[in-house]
């Protein structure tokens, strides 16, 4: 193994409370739309923007879904960049150790500015060599993982994530999958499992 590619939501941090508050503030401007619940938001973790729109606002046209999510994202990233969210216990300590031996990356199904907000608010950019997301490429998670592998000439990477979408992405890219069971999803197929972020130090 020469590298580790991480998912973000449910793996490195939990921004659900902050995002829920921000998105519901936006929805208040659209008086005919009900508030989103924490459970609804959690069910969207790991999905791409188009899938989130279909899941949360099935009564709206695709154009309206995109318009509302764009508005949510425009407010969300600057807020998270300034205020941050809940980084899981021991993340920086573990990244410090892993970065001495492995090349570290992030591939997340998010919009432009989201990973950058994570970096800015918690000063964690120094541990990662590269990152990718569909907001920049328009590609699926598996395609973005492959893009990171090819761009950085990785030989034996692994992917760490918490949802079935993460598993699918890792399998598409043909690399081992480490299931972060403390995150948002439930996955019954994996190559390794961690129950807390610090378990990575015991695995690798």
């Amino acid at each position: 193994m020469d590298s580790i590619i991480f998912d973000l939501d449910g793996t490195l941090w939990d921004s659900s409370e902050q995002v829920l508050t921000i998105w519901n503030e936006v929805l208040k401007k659209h008086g005919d739309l009900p508030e989103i619940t924490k459970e609804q938001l959690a069910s969207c973790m790991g999905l791409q923007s188009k899938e989130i729109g279909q899941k949360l606002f099935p009564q709206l046209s695709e154009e309206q879904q995109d318009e509302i999510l764009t508005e949510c994202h425009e407010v969300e990233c600057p807020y998270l960049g300034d205020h941050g969210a809940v980084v899981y216990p021991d993340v920086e300590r573990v990244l410090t150790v892993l970065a001495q031996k492995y090349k570290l990356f992030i591939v997340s199904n998010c919009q432009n500015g989201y990973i950058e907000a994570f970096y800015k608010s918690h000063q964690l950019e120094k541990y990662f060599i590269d990152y990718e997301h569909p907001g920049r490429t328009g590609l699926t998670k598996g395609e973005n993982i492959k893009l990171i592998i090819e761009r950085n000439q990785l030989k034996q990477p692994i992917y760490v994530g918490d949802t079935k979408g993460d598993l699918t992405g890792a399998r598409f890219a043909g690399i081992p999958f480490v299931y972060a069971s403390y995150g948002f999803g439930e996955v019954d197929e994996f190559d390794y499992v961690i129950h807390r972020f610090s378990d990575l130090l015991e695995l690798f």
Side-chain angles (χ1 to χ4, degrees), residues 71-183:
E71 190 177 345
C72 288
H73 291 156
E74 286 174 351
V75 179
E76 171 190 319
C77 290
Y79 180 90
L80 290 174
D82 290 338
H83 301 280
V86 179
V87 176
Y88 288 113
D90 294 320
V91 161
E92 185 162 16
R93 178 179 70 83
V94 173
L95 290 177
T96 302
V97 176
L98 293 176
Q100 295 175 20
K101 188 175 181 182
Y102 307 107
K103 297 176 181 178
L104 307 183
F105 306 86
I106 295 177
V107 171
S108 175
N109 274 347
C110 61
Q111 71 277 15
N112 278 316
Y114 189 80
I115 295 175
E116 295 89 336
F118 168 72
Y119 284 161
K120 178 187 175 185
S121 58
H122 298 286
Q123 294 81 53
L124 295 172
E125 183 175 6
K126 59 190 173 186
Y127 299 107
F128 299 95
I129 292 173
D130 196 1
Y131 67 92
E132 202 51 270
H133 55 76
R136 186 159 67 178
T137 66
L139 301 175
T140 66
K141 176 159 283 186
E143 290 169 329
N144 279 325
I145 292 172
K146 290 188 75 171
L147 186 60
I148 283 287
I149 292 170
E150 293 164 4
R151 192 160 70 205
N152 294 277
Q153 299 181 321
L154 306 182
K155 303 302 182 185
Q156 292 182 299
I158 64 166
Y159 188 79
V160 183
D162 66 304
T163 67
K164 289 182 179 179
D166 295 329
L167 168 66
T168 301
R171 293 290 184 255
F172 179 88
I175 64 174
F177 174 66
V178 181
Y179 170 42
S181 68
Y182 54 84

Side-chain angles (χ1 to χ4, degrees), residues 46-66:
L47 301 180
Q48 291 199 15
S49 185
K50 182 177 180 180
E51 297 170 310
I52 293 172
Q54 293 169 345
K55 196 174 186 70
L56 294 181
F57 314 115
Q59 73 276 31
L60 302 180
S61 68
E62 186 174 323
E63 183 178 350
Q64 290 172 311
Q65 292 169 2
D66 183 64

Side-chain angles (χ1 to χ4, degrees), residues 177-195:
F177 174 66
V178 181
Y179 170 42
S181 68
Y182 54 84
F184 297 114
E186 293 185 8
V187 179
D188 54 15
E189 179 192 338
F190 46 80
D191 299 292
Y192 307 94
V193 61
I194 56 173
H195 302 292

Side-chain angles (χ1 to χ4, degrees), residues 19-31:
V19 171
L20 185 66
T21 299
I22 295 163
W23 285 23
N24 278 329
E25 285 297 320
V26 171
L27 293 183
K28 286 179 183 178
K29 301 175 185 177
H30 303 266

